[in-house]
Amino acid sequence: MSMGFDKETFKKSVLFNMKNVFRKTVDEATPEQMYQAVAYAVKDVIIDEWIATHKEYEKQDVKTLYYLSMEFLMGRALGNNIISIMAQPEVKEILEELGFDLNVIEDQEPDPALGNGGLGRLAACFLDSLATLGYPAYGCGIRYRYGMFKQKIEGGYQLEVPDDWLKNGYPFELRRAEYATEVKFGGYVNTVWENGKERFVQEGYQSVLAVPYDMPIVGYGNNVVNTLRIWDAQAINTFSLDSFDRGDYQKAVEQENLAKTIVEVLYPNDNHYAGKELRLKQQYFFISASVQRAVMKYMEKHDDIHKFYEKTVFQLNDTHPTVAVPELMRILLDDYGLSWDEAWEITTKTCAYTNHTIMSEALEKWPIELFSRLLPRIYQIVEEINRRFQQKITEMYPGNQDKLRKMSIVYDGQVRMANLAILGGFSVNGVARLHTEILKNQELKDFYQMMPEKFNNKTNGITQRRFLLHGNPLLAQWVTKKIGSDWITNLPHIHRLAIYAEDPRCRQEFMDIKYQNKVRLADYVKEHNGIELDPRSMFDVQVKRLHEYKRQLMNILHVMYLYNQLKDNPNLDMVPRTFLFGAKAAAGYKRAKLTIKLINAVADVINNDRSIGGKIKVVFIEDYKVSNAEIIFAAADVSEQISTASKEASGTGNMKFMLNGALTLGTMDGANVEIVEEVGAENAFIFGMSSDEVIRYENEGGYNPMEIFNNNFEIRRVLMQLINGYYSPQDPELFRDIYNSLLNTKSSDRADTYFILRDLPSYAEAQRRVDQAYRDEAWWAKAAILNVASSGKFTSDRTIEEYVKDIWHLEKVKVELEEEA
Ligand code: H53
């Protein structure tokens, strides 16, 4: 139990909150009110640790990491915080004494969904590990008024519903008005001469006030509490008649509107750049505020700005925060009067960049017109960075236009953020070994040749505290009973489980737990989606963002194929299987949304066909999000990780499934490669083209899906069912676009961009191996336990230690709480 936790005090605190906030006694309280009262009581405990942590940081004058990210997909805080202050049994007891169930209370919390998918969730796992390992860090982001939309399925289609997560107030956040910071947009740059020196000032701009809200990030059982600082926008002068009188009416209205719109909503695109002006405003807004604050905080304690990088590191989570590079330059040049070379040295020693994708549609390239209009001074600085860099390229590769074309930062009317991020920092990392190799040898080859010392790999990880300890209590307790609780902060120790994989009784215990978790998921799906699941069937799960490269389409085409087999032969000997899908599609991504409709259309037909004796069932789980993800991972038998090789930079869901004892059915892509390396190919189901083969086809051509269509009857039959109304009798043309995407070469894109038809036969073959393997329960249990036992590498604690050692160079801090008098 945490030093600061006392059961009686806590109970009093809950009762006090109930009275003070709601004017109620507990027996009158709704679960939602109880949630609030408990959350405030937990925050009370955390606050002391939070204060103590920051005192210690100040005292030791620590180096601090700023993890700059447009997204933090935190998931619910209450359950996790209770676990982190090590008070779960006590809080559970208190609630029972008061007539409440902790699970029900936790369910009242909205998921703070300030992120889309993998990238945002990774940021959240990193914050958890940083605090647990005792490293000084801030997460810096945006307090979106509306987070990731809630998904409803109606008539098989996705509907987006706004996520009003702040509706009832958020108990864990703390408004820090004292750190409000001005951020300027637009206008023009004026040159003034001061003491014989040229100085640049932005004039005629609009500004907004950035106001930070802090959320505590509680380390596990170590009294360390770090901060997630998310910025809200406010109008700088509240709109008043005063300004009307001064003739600034128009500007006052504009500033008011700017503030309102800027943090309004999270763009729901994952791995896709849409080029929206408001998005660039969001980027500069939170970066300018965060960087200004970081500099101010440093200068409060130090007098030499030249050593800024000794105490500060900025990690850029993808290219989204790249304006941090010119923003830091601006502050150093314009506010501190440093020379270009001095400013550049400090900046490039402070910034480091993580690349999360090679998908070309994700690359951010802002039109010069827009960029320079919105950020005139920043654009000047970018131009100068580019001018100097082009000079360097020309010196190194005289006359080589190709190098200039590929590496320039400003080129062809665009500002290329990835190039700026690579040049503006001291480190460039990929997120899995294969991904980093592809960056070095393909995507970023020219940069790697010029500056090889910057490139390094940091294979992603996940926090076992949320995805096993909190999400799967039955398995967590079982693991602890077998090997002790060390794994909670030292996941590699989970390898000690391996010996139990040989023990028939342990296998049985493991399978019983899996079964109970399947019942729990079945209950969830029944309650939320009204669909019955059979927990005795095999649960085959694909949950992740909907994207063509992730190939949910291949999965459902295979289900359609299986169904045809069953219709041909109702006595087909197969293990009953439930195919579960969960995925949000970006609101404007038509084909992705049509794929959701297809999955639901197939589900409709198959689930209502009595003739197949319930051998397959297809379920689309509505509104996939962090809180139900925890339940889903715990219940999975098979983990579908079937992206086109080379396209999934890492994947992190794959790791969460493994930790919960699901077997991977996947391609040799992203971190799957390393997962298979840890658990052994014999305990996974691998299929499909290698990334080398994919890249060769992409470079040299020669792939013709029509050939496959013509030669493979089963594939042809499935594809014809997309356009003959088999799954959409009312509208036979409904899925024409999907059919065309696989076969039609008329468009400028190659047909079947993601090699679905090419991999489908080998996927079907791997699925047959899964079916065979599942029949041998002893084998399956053993392989599942070995997956859990081999998951040690994939803790985000390991990832963070690697970042610290190779990039951030932070010192661990210990926080002792003073005993209260
Ligand atoms: O980042 C994850 C990776 C995953 C990758 C994902 C990602 C986004 O979620 C959004 C944008 C982007 O560039 C990359 O797709 O493979 O695991 C965390 O690194």
Side-chain angles (χ1 to χ4, degrees):
M1 208 197 312
S2 142
M3 287 263 300
F5 190 86
D6 171 73
K7 197 177 154 188
E8 274 318 301
T9 317
F10 187 86
K11 191 170 175 178
K12 276 192 200 140
S13 173
V14 172
L15 300 181
F16 175 83
N17 291 336
M18 189 57 79
K19 181 170 142 197
N20 220 24
V21 182
F22 299 110
R23 213 197 66 184
K24 279 197 173 166
T25 58
V26 278
D27 34 289
E28 300 165 321
T30 64
E32 206 278 329
Q33 290 167 332
M34 195 58 179
Y35 149 69
Q36 297 255 355
V38 173
Y40 280 111
V42 169
K43 188 176 171 190
D44 227 36
V45 178
I46 292 170
I47 287 274
D48 289 321
E49 302 185 359
W50 209 355
I51 294 169
T53 301
H54 283 266
K55 244 195 208 147
E56 199 56 40
Y57 288 170
E58 301 251 303
K59 193 169 105 196
Q60 296 190 25
D61 188 22
V62 294
K63 183 175 186 186
T64 305
L65 162 70
Y66 293 85
Y67 197 80
L68 306 176
S69 178
M70 289 286 277
E71 305 189 12
F72 290 91
L73 189 41
M74 300 302 291
R76 291 176 178 157
L78 179 60
N80 228 246
N81 287 343
I82 292 173
I83 282 180
S84 291
I85 60 173
M86 300 182 103
Q88 205 205 30
E90 291 80 6
V91 174
K92 198 165 176 292
E93 261 173 45
I94 292 170
L95 282 171
E96 272 160 20
E97 287 163 27
L98 299 174
F100 288 88
D101 171 357
L102 178 57
N103 286 324
V104 175
I105 297 308
E106 286 186 22
D107 272 342
Q108 305 305 311
E109 182 178 347
D111 273 45
L114 309 184
N116 272 284
L119 170 129
R121 183 54 231 176
L122 183 75
C125 285
F126 280 6
L127 294 185
D128 179 87
S129 287
L130 281 158
T132 296
L133 295 167
Y135 291 117
Y138 281 87
C140 300
I142 297 174
R143 184 174 178 267
Y144 299 104
R145 175 78 174 66
Y146 295 95
M148 188 60 206
F149 63 78
K150 289 185 180 305
Q151 181 191 55
K152 292 247 175 281
I153 300 295
E154 282 193 22
Y157 290 100
Q158 165 177 298
L159 276 186
E160 300 93 25
V161 178
D163 164 44
D164 194 0
W165 71 289
L166 290 165
K167 188 172 56 194
N168 296 328
Y170 194 69
F172 288 106
E173 69 178 6
L174 216 61
R175 187 169 191 266
R176 310 298 300 275
E178 66 272 33
Y179 298 132
T181 308
E182 184 180 6
V183 178
K184 300 175 183 173
F185 293 96
Y188 50 91
V189 182
N190 228 341
T191 322
V192 290
W193 289 89
E194 249 176 37
N195 313 324
K197 259 178 98 178
E198 203 181 23
R199 229 171 66 82
F200 299 91
V201 278
Q202 192 173 348
E203 290 176 358
Y205 54 84
Q206 289 175 21
S207 51
V208 288
L209 195 63
V211 183
Y213 283 70
D214 287 354
M215 296 220 212
I217 306 295
V218 187
Y220 179 80
N222 65 351
N223 305 319
V224 173
V225 180
N226 280 335
T227 304
L228 169 60
R229 171 160 289 177
I230 48 180
W231 298 89
D232 185 25
Q234 262 183 20
I236 217 128
N237 302 313
T238 352
F239 180 55
S240 69
L241 273 181
D242 217 28
S243 54
F244 180 74
D245 292 341
R246 287 204 314 268
D248 276 352
Y249 185 79
Q250 195 56 33
K251 189 168 164 189
V253 177
E254 282 168 7
Q255 295 202 155
E256 184 92 13
N257 282 338
L258 179 62
K260 257 194 216 125
T261 53
I262 215 162
V263 296
E264 188 68 5
V265 64
L266 164 77
Y267 279 99
N269 302 314
D270 195 76
N271 250 300
H272 181 83
Y273 157 77
K276 293 272 187 276
E277 177 163 344
L278 183 58
R279 169 85 170 180
L280 182 57
K281 281 187 191 163
Q282 291 184 334
Q283 295 184 347
Y284 185 66
F285 166 74
F286 95 100
I287 287 300
S288 179
S290 305
V291 174
Q292 287 187 59
R293 256 321 295 166
V295 173
M296 264 185 256
K297 190 171 159 73
Y298 170 83
M299 289 309 284
E300 280 163 11
K301 288 257 163 179
H302 308 88
D303 45 25
D304 186 2
I305 189 71
H306 293 89
K307 293 184 177 166
F308 182 66
Y309 62 87
E310 289 182 2
K311 295 293 176 189
T312 317
V313 55
F314 293 155
Q315 189 68 36
L316 314 184
N317 197 23
D318 217 327
T319 54
H320 320 150
T322 302
V323 285
V325 171
E327 175 65 1
L328 183 54
M329 286 295 286
R330 181 190 69 78
I331 294 169
L332 298 174
L333 294 168
D334 298 357
D335 299 351
Y336 287 86
L338 299 195
S339 72
W340 183 274
D341 290 337
E342 289 172 317
W344 186 245
E345 182 183 341
I346 296 166
T347 300
T348 51
K349 283 181 167 173
T350 303
C351 298
Y353 160 58
T354 304
N355 175 292
H356 293 265
T357 187
I358 62 158
M359 300 288 294
S360 58
E361 72 249 42
L363 279 189
E364 293 187 297
K365 295 177 229 146
W366 296 104
I368 290 177
E369 185 282 320
L370 181 136
F371 195 97
S372 60
R373 174 164 48 80
L374 210 59
L375 311 171
R377 178 62 183 138
I378 294 298
Y379 180 66
Q380 278 187 339
I381 292 169
V382 170
E383 265 196 327
E384 179 61 14
I385 294 173
N386 184 54
R387 191 187 64 78
R388 289 169 182 249
F389 184 44
Q390 287 189 332
Q391 214 163 36
K392 191 171 156 196
I393 298 171
T394 312
E395 274 162 28
M396 273 184 89
Y397 309 101
N400 191 333
Q401 284 305 310
D402 206 43
K403 291 277 183 192
L404 272 177
R405 179 177 61 78
K406 290 203 285 221
M407 298 174 80
S408 287
I409 291 161
V410 184
Y411 199 85
D412 217 6
Q414 292 173 321
V415 183
R416 301 157 163 183
M417 303 311 268
N419 295 13
L420 179 56
I422 297 166
L423 186 67
F426 61 92
S427 165
V428 178
N429 76 279
V431 290
R433 195 205 303 138
L434 175 69
H435 170 60
T436 301
E437 288 306 308
I438 293 172
L439 291 180
K440 293 198 293 192
N441 304 326
Q442 314 270 341
E443 300 299 311
L444 303 179
K445 192 171 173 188
D446 297 293
F447 284 96
Y448 179 58
Q449 281 171 354
M450 190 188 233
M451 35 194 118
E453 70 291 346
K454 285 191 187 180
F455 284 74
N456 63 95
N457 175 246
K458 295 288 166 283
T459 297
N460 282 168
I462 57 163
T463 169
Q464 68 271 29
R465 267 96 46 197
R466 182 175 291 268
F467 292 104
L468 184 51
L469 186 57
H470 183 263
N472 193 346
L474 294 177
L475 187 58
Q477 278 153 25
W478 184 78
V479 172
T480 297
K481 214 170 79 205
K482 298 288 179 226
I483 63 166
S485 59
D486 214 24
W487 62 271
I488 298 170
T489 50
N490 191 347
L491 196 60
H493 278 186
I494 208 163
H495 200 255
R496 295 180 190 145
L497 268 187
I499 50 165
Y500 298 100
E502 304 299 334
D503 178 339
R505 216 194 59 221
C506 293
R507 290 176 181 172
Q508 194 53 53
E509 290 167 358
F510 179 90
M511 292 307 270
D512 288 347
I513 289 169
K514 185 59 86 181
Y515 181 79
Q516 290 183 59
N517 283 326
K518 286 158 85 168
V519 171
R520 179 174 67 150
L521 177 60
D523 290 344
Y524 175 91
V525 172
K526 176 85 188 139
E527 185 187 335
H528 290 83
N529 312 338
I531 306 169
E532 304 261 1
L533 305 187
D534 180 357
R536 289 161 308 177
S537 65
M538 186 198 317
F539 280 15
D540 176 323
V541 188
Q542 187 173 20
V543 285
K544 49 183 77 246
R545 284 303 292 260
L546 213 140
H547 204 297
E548 286 167 276
Y549 85 80
K550 295 176 188 284
R551 299 200 293 193
Q552 283 94 349
L553 178 57
M554 185 168 77
N555 187 343
I556 198 68
L557 291 175
H558 170 259
V559 173
M560 290 159 67
Y561 155 77
L562 259 190
Y563 180 57
N564 289 339
Q565 301 303 102
L566 267 176
K567 293 302 276 181
D568 290 351
N569 174 14
N571 295 323
L572 188 73
D573 180 25
M574 66 170 284
V575 176
R577 231 201 266 208
T578 305
F579 292 93
L580 294 137
F581 293 83
K584 288 181 184 174
Y589 191 170
K590 289 229 175 83
R591 192 170 288 158
K593 291 176 119 177
L594 190 57
T595 306
I596 291 178
K597 172 64 182 169
L598 175 63
I599 294 168
N600 284 310
V602 172
D604 240 16
V605 171
I606 294 182
N607 299 350
N608 291 309
D609 184 345
R610 298 277 198 84
S611 78
I612 58 166
K615 281 190 183 142
I616 37 184
K617 184 143 196 174
V618 180
V619 175
F620 190 94
I621 302 175
E622 192 177 76
D623 202 32
Y624 175 57
K625 55 183 171 180
V626 177
S627 59
N628 60 25
E630 294 178 32
I631 298 171
I632 295 168
F633 294 128
D637 294 308
V638 177
S639 158
E640 297 260 3
Q641 306 302 334
I642 60 179
S643 53
T644 313
S646 80
K647 302 297 177 201
E648 190 70 272
S650 162
T652 43
N654 46 5
M655 303 167 185
K656 297 164 196 169
F657 279 106
M658 179 194 204
L659 179 66
N660 283 276
L663 276 59
T664 303
L665 165 57
T667 49
M668 277 303 201
D669 197 18
N672 297 354
V673 175
E674 291 161 75
I675 286 178
V676 171
E677 185 172 292
E678 293 298 303
V679 74
E682 68 283 10
N683 296 308
F685 304 92
I686 299 306
F687 70 93
M689 292 161 87
S690 69
S691 65
D692 285 342
E693 286 174 90
V694 170
I695 290 168
R696 199 174 320 124
Y697 266 132
E698 286 177 338
N699 292 340
E700 296 168 17
Y703 173 53
N704 184 4
M706 194 50 94
E707 231 167 75
I708 299 174
F709 178 85
N710 288 333
N711 294 326
N712 186 320
F713 166 75
E714 294 300 342
I715 287 182
R716 192 162 64 247
R717 173 151 71 145
V718 167
L719 292 202
M720 291 314 290
Q721 288 168 342
L722 288 173
I723 53 167
N724 67 12
Y726 195 79
Y727 291 102
S728 55
Q730 259 77 54
D731 180 3
E733 288 292 307
L734 186 59
F735 301 115
R736 172 73 67 177
D737 171 71
I738 289 178
Y739 174 90
N740 282 347
S741 76
L742 295 169
L743 290 175
N744 199 336
T745 40
K746 261 184 267 164
S747 65
S748 60
D749 287 342
R750 174 168 45 72
D752 193 11
T753 320
Y754 297 104
F755 302 98
I756 287 175
L757 301 191
R758 172 63 209 254
D759 273 349
L760 198 45
S762 106
Y763 178 56
E765 186 273 328
Q767 283 284 24
R768 281 190 282 276
R769 281 186 274 142
V770 170
D771 177 278
Q772 284 301 318
Y774 199 76
R775 294 160 195 251
D776 183 349
E777 192 175 291
W779 180 88
W780 190 277
K782 174 182 168 186
I785 295 171
L786 286 177
N787 266 274
V788 181
S790 310
S791 64
K793 175 176 175 183
F794 303 105
T795 172
S796 44
D797 299 343
R798 187 265 316 150
T799 313
I800 290 300
E801 291 290 17
E802 291 179 9
Y803 274 94
V804 167
K805 182 167 146 290
D806 301 341
I807 306 175
W808 300 335
H809 308 294
L810 309 171
E811 303 287 342
K812 264 194 179 123
V813 173
K814 273 207 159 40
V815 176
E816 312 282 357
L817 283 189
E818 287 162 31
E819 285 283 5
E820 266 179 55

